[in-house]
Amino acid sequence: MSNFAAVANPAVVKRFAVIGHPVAHSLSPGIHAAFGKQTGIALSYTAIDAAPEHFDALLAEFAAEGGLGANITLPHKTRAATICTTLSERARRAGAVNTLIRTPTGWEGDNTDGVGLVRDLTERHGLDLRQRRTLLIGAGGAARGVAPALLDAGIGDLFIVNRTPERADALADALAQPGRVHPRYLRDIGSLGTFDLIVNATSAARADGLPALPMALANPRTAAVDLSYGEVAIPFLAWARAAGAHDRIDGLGMLVEQAAESFQRWHHVRPETDAVFEELREHRAELVTAD
Ligand code: ATR
């Protein structure tokens, strides 16, 4: 636990990072720099590329160097949940961590993805999520992060499909609302009816492509949301357009909102997000990876 001695010198700029693989194109350093400037907080926020086998060692090194907090991204969110000494209630429910907060005895793990998504959908995009019949595609770390917050936001029934059905079952079990949460086989997707909210939480577009999605999943009221942004969000959002979905939303707003929530956990100040979001949106054409 020597990595977690109190950080002695308050004159040192507070150190934060995002840890992922790949991470070079992460927007988080720029977002946190903008929040720091806006709130007058001096901080350093870097990107640390950690292959899975090096994650634990690089995180320990970061702690030993005085790191006060980190964002955790693909593919480490579930691993990070296992190395924390404490977990927030929402991180525990998600079984996935995107925010580490230094404590004297180790890392506290939190998950700000879900609240970030809900805030983006309801406040930025003005959607009323209540009673929306919802389809969640994917059951990995990203899906785990957002599912509890969607349920808390009052969606209707939640159907979960995943390439590996056991992971959909495990996520449904963890959510512990059997009357409301229904794991289904991806191959049966054509018989599930129509949905008012469809969330793509797979990393399929980054790999060998999106699973085939029937047009009949969408209706004229549907909001289709991809948790990624930039090029990897394009196939799903193009499908949503072709299927006639009313709203087509990528994960850029969620990224900014989850960052604001993490920033608040670390600095106890809530940054304003609209200007940062607009600035990033303008440069969207340059964005190539999700965070
Ligand atoms: P993340 O943190 O992005 O969720 P993850 O935990 O590796 O990363 O999960 C990736 C998700 O994308 C999973 O739901 C995965 O399905 P499996 O559980 O079957 O692996 C899904 N996924 C990745 N590539 C896919 C593909 N080509 N087709 C369908 N689903 C895919």
Side-chain angles (χ1 to χ4, degrees):
M1 281 296 147
S2 58
N3 287 344
F4 289 89
V7 177
N9 186 351
V12 173
V13 171
K14 295 175 172 180
R15 182 146 185 239
F16 300 86
V18 55
I19 306 177
H21 185 68
V23 80
H25 296 283
S26 172
L27 300 179
S28 293
I31 294 171
H32 281 272
F35 288 163
K37 200 168 163 198
Q38 180 200 114
T39 55
I41 295 171
L43 60 90
S44 124
Y45 186 113
T46 53
I48 298 175
D49 195 313
E53 63 273 25
H54 298 135
F55 175 74
D56 291 16
L58 287 169
L59 181 60
E61 191 179 308
F62 174 71
E65 289 168 3
L68 295 179
N71 284 126
I72 303 299
T73 188
L74 207 93
H76 303 308
K77 289 182 183 182
T78 44
R79 170 68 195 156
T82 68
I83 53 91
C84 293
T85 45
T86 53
L87 290 176
S88 68
E89 167 68 13
R90 57 194 180 187
R92 193 187 54 70
R93 283 173 75 200
V97 156
N98 81 329
T99 305
L100 295 176
I101 301 137
R102 190 189 185 99
T103 76
T105 52
W107 295 113
E108 179 194 340
D110 195 1
N111 195 314
T112 65
D113 282 337
V115 75
L117 174 64
V118 167
R119 196 167 283 142
D120 182 57
L121 297 183
T122 57
E123 295 181 18
R124 178 164 293 110
H125 295 283
L127 298 182
D128 184 349
L129 298 180
R130 287 172 299 173
Q131 296 309 322
R132 284 193 185 235
R133 189 169 189 264
T134 297
L135 177 65
L136 179 61
I137 309 168
R144 286 181 162 268
V146 301
L150 289 172
L151 291 168
D152 290 350
I155 61 166
D157 280 4
L158 175 64
F159 289 76
I160 305 172
V161 294
N162 193 50
R163 178 178 62 180
T164 309
E166 293 77 17
R167 287 182 97 189
D169 291 341
L171 174 53
D173 286 349
L175 294 168
Q177 297 193 32
R180 194 175 171 210
V181 177
H182 317 285
R184 291 288 184 267
Y185 288 111
L186 190 53
R187 66 166 182 263
D188 294 338
I189 200 167
S191 60
L192 298 183
T194 178
F195 292 91
D196 310 312
L197 176 64
I198 304 175
V199 178
N200 179 29
T202 74
S203 55
R206 250 173 264 141
D208 39 352
L210 203 61
L213 302 175
M215 296 290 171
L217 291 174
N219 64 52
R221 170 183 141 81
T222 301
V225 181
D226 197 305
L227 301 187
S228 309
Y229 54 82
E231 277 178 10
V232 287
I234 289 172
F236 176 74
L237 297 180
W239 169 83
R241 175 182 288 275
H246 186 269
D247 303 280
R248 299 171 303 275
I249 298 168
D250 73 4
L252 191 62
M254 169 183 162
L255 176 73
V256 176
E257 296 304 326
Q258 64 79 28
E261 187 78 10
S262 298
F263 191 93
Q264 182 164 23
R265 287 297 326 264
W266 293 327
H267 306 290
H268 311 289
V269 178
R270 178 146 209 99
E272 209 279 313
T273 55
D274 284 348
V276 176
F277 173 76
E278 293 305 333
E279 166 80 17
L280 290 173
R281 181 53 92 212
E282 273 177 33
H283 294 98
R284 180 182 170 173
E286 296 165 21
L287 308 180
V288 290
T289 61
D291 194 331

